[in-house]
């Protein structure tokens, strides 16, 4: 099966640049939705034995250049060897994936966590979440040794990309929860490369960078180090949720028609994630092979990318908790309303 691997169009974490659309009521009809989301039946999995045994001619799977794609490289390699019938697309931006998913040209996609909820709203419940695939990948880096806790950010300037999306929501929430939001200046840049350039020009400042950009920055300048892992800062707040980056979603119609194919994908994807985390050197070579990031960068970054495959009840607990935090800050960031229970596949 021919693999359509898109060229690297922009920075690995461009997924964070997705700006949330205005939400719509989950139960409302949307006449502009594609017929790909018009299936009136939604039982999660088909109850018919014949339906369960159906197999699609191909399964089109999309991921982003960065951690979401990195977790899938073993599956991509296995598909080349075994011809599972998968057609992979790697993109630099979630904006490239969204319209094709809505049109039914993509069946399964790795997207930012809040985008899954927005799409659920925009398609009147036309997508399901299969798994959480990436926990937080945001890091505060500095050119020095002065920052060792969130409190140390007081009085600092933070350079970051991703205004209006996950980086802004997560950073503001952490700063506000530590009572220093008004004591920190945040300068938003359009690209992560600009953040690094600003950091090098202002040694007293810090930058918020995602992986693998944080690793790339440290490779370029030996004085740059990771000062704060935002996962740790989030967990320190003792919230009933985790900081999340990405999820795997599937079109509802596809899941209803081909439940066996969905389960096979989940099993194989879970094995791929496990392989990447347990065989870093080998996985890094595959990451380089598929031109996600250079193998040398991947080998250093994988352990900090928090690549996971969390499904079922645990997936629902983590994702719903995270989306609720975003909803309380800005409802539009999750589509205007919290998704219903049917957003969570297999729960």
């Amino acid at each position: 099966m021919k693999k359509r691997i898109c060229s690297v169009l922009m920075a690995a974490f461009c997924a964070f640049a997705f700006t949330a659309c205005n939400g719509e009521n989950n139960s409302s009809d949307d006449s502009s939705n594609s017929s790909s989301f018009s299936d009136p039946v939604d039982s999660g999995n088909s109850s018919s034995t014949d339906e369960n045994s159906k197999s699609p001619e191909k399964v089109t799977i999309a991921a982003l250049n960065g951690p979401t794609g990195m977790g899938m490289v073993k599956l991509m390699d296995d598909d080349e060897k075994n011809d599972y019938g998968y057609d992979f697309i790697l993109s630099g931006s979630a904006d490239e994936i969204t319209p094709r998913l809505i049109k039914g040209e993509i069946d399964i996609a790795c997207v930012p966590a809040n985008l899954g909820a927005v799409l659920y709203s925009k398609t009147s419940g036309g997508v399901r979440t299969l798994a959480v695939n990436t926990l937080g990948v945001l890091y505060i880096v500095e050119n020095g040794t002065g920052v060792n806790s969130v409190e140390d950010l007081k009085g600092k300037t933070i350079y970051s990309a991703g205004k209006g999306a996950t980086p802004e929501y997560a950073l503001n929430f952490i700063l506000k929860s530590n009572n220093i939001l008004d004591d920190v200046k945040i300068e938003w840049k359009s690209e992560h490369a600009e953040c690094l350039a600003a950091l090098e020009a202002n040694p007293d400042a810090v930058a918020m960078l995602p992986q693998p950009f944080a690793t790339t920055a440290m490779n370029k300048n030996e004085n740059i180090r990771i000062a704060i892992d935002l996962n740790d800062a989030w967990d320190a707040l003792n919230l009933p949720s985790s900081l999340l980056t990405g999820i795997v979603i599937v079109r509802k119609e596809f899941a209803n028609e081909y439940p066996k194919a969905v389960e096979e994908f989940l099993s194989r994807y879970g094995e791929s994630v496990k392989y990447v985390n347990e065989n870093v050197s080998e996985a890094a070579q595959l990451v380089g092979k598929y031109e996600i990031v250079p193998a040398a960068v991947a080998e250093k970054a994988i352990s900090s990318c928090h690549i996971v495959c969390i499904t079922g009840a645990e997936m629902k607990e983590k994702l719903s908790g995270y989306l609720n935090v975003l909803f309380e800050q800005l409802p539009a960031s999750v589509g205007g309303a919290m998704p219903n229970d049917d957003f969570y596949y297999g729960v």
Side-chain angles (χ1 to χ4, degrees), residues 92-151:
S93 169
D95 291 337
E96 299 167 24
I97 295 174
T98 299
R100 298 189 63 184
L101 182 77
I102 292 175
K103 292 177 183 178
E105 297 173 356
I106 291 173
D107 304 308
I108 296 171
C110 301
V111 300
N114 72 302
L115 176 55
V118 171
L119 286 172
Y120 176 85
S121 176
K122 295 295 290 184
T123 61
S124 297
V127 298
R128 300 286 177 265
T129 299
L130 298 178
V132 170
N133 67 351
T134 321
L135 302 179
V137 295
L138 291 170
Y139 293 84
I140 299 294
V141 301
E142 69 166 340
N143 190 356
T145 59
V147 176
N148 296 287
S149 68
V150 174
E151 290 74 18

Side-chain angles (χ1 to χ4, degrees), residues 22-338:
N22 286 332
E24 300 176 14
N25 189 292
N26 292 341
S27 62
S28 64
D29 292 330
D30 184 353
S31 59
S32 66
N33 290 340
S34 165
S35 60
S36 301
F37 295 97
S38 62
D39 183 10
V41 179
D42 183 27
S43 58
N45 292 323
S46 172
S47 59
S48 165
T49 302
D50 290 339
E51 290 292 315
N52 284 338
S53 63
K54 288 177 61 176
S55 297
E57 291 186 9
K58 68 174 182 178
V59 182
T60 303
I61 303 166
L64 294 160
N65 290 305
T68 63
M70 291 163 70
M72 199 171 285
V73 291
K74 184 61 166 63
L75 177 58
M76 294 166 67
D77 188 58
D78 287 345
D79 179 57
E80 282 192 11
K81 298 173 181 176
N82 300 294
D83 193 12
Y84 295 142
Y86 296 155
D87 195 0
F88 291 97
I89 300 170
L90 288 177
S91 296
S93 169
D95 291 337
E96 299 167 24
I97 295 174
T98 299
R100 298 189 63 184
L101 182 77
I102 292 175
K103 292 177 183 178
E105 297 173 356
I106 291 173
D107 304 308
I108 296 171
C110 301
V111 300
N114 72 302
L115 176 55
V118 171
L119 286 172
Y120 176 85
S121 176
K122 295 295 290 184
T123 61
S124 297
V127 298
R128 300 286 177 265
T129 299
L130 298 178
V132 170
N133 67 351
T134 321
L135 302 179
V137 295
L138 291 170
Y139 293 84
I140 299 294
V141 301
E142 69 166 340
N143 190 356
T145 59
V147 176
N148 296 287
S149 68
V150 174
E151 290 74 18
D152 292 336
L153 295 173
K154 188 173 182 178
K156 291 285 188 179
T157 296
I158 301 176
Y159 297 107
S160 179
K163 182 175 176 57
T166 296
E168 181 180 16
Y169 307 141
L171 180 59
N172 283 350
F173 181 77
I174 289 172
L175 295 177
K176 183 178 180 180
S177 298
N178 284 273
N179 300 313
I180 61 170
L181 179 60
D182 295 333
D183 300 311
V184 176
K185 181 181 178 182
I186 304 173
E187 289 197 13
W188 296 101
K189 304 293 184 180
S190 59
E191 297 180 1
H192 301 299
E194 294 180 34
C195 300
L196 179 57
L199 177 63
E200 292 177 336
N202 182 2
D204 293 329
V206 298
M208 182 170 68
L209 295 173
Q211 289 289 8
F213 272 98
T215 296
T216 300
M218 291 188 291
N219 283 349
K220 290 182 177 180
N221 186 335
E222 63 181 10
N223 294 319
I224 292 177
R225 70 178 187 94
I226 290 177
I228 301 173
D229 180 340
L230 260 64
N231 284 288
D232 295 337
W234 186 283
D235 291 343
L237 299 174
N238 296 315
L239 301 168
S241 65
S242 299
L243 179 58
L244 305 183
T245 296
I247 59 176
V248 186
I249 61 174
V250 62
R251 290 188 297 110
K252 180 185 74 174
E253 183 181 16
F254 183 88
N256 284 349
E257 187 171 3
Y258 302 112
K260 181 181 177 182
V262 171
E263 295 300 329
E264 287 177 345
F265 165 79
L266 273 176
S267 177
R268 290 164 177 164
Y269 180 63
E271 292 172 358
S272 179
V273 168
K274 181 179 180 181
Y275 178 89
V276 169
N277 286 323
E278 294 181 354
N279 302 274
V280 173
S281 295
E282 295 84 352
Q285 294 302 312
L286 293 177
V287 172
K289 171 185 175 182
Y290 293 110
E291 300 181 350
I292 296 173
V293 295
V297 173
E299 186 160 1
K300 292 182 178 180
I302 284 175
S303 62
S304 300
C305 285
H306 302 298
I307 299 168
V308 297
C309 182
I310 301 172
T311 60
E314 185 181 0
M315 171 263 291
K316 179 182 178 182
E317 179 183 8
K318 288 182 178 296
L319 180 55
S320 63
Y322 173 69
L323 293 177
N324 190 62
V325 170
L326 297 187
F327 176 75
E328 290 178 352
Q329 290 189 72
L330 184 64
S333 68
V334 298
M338 286 291 291

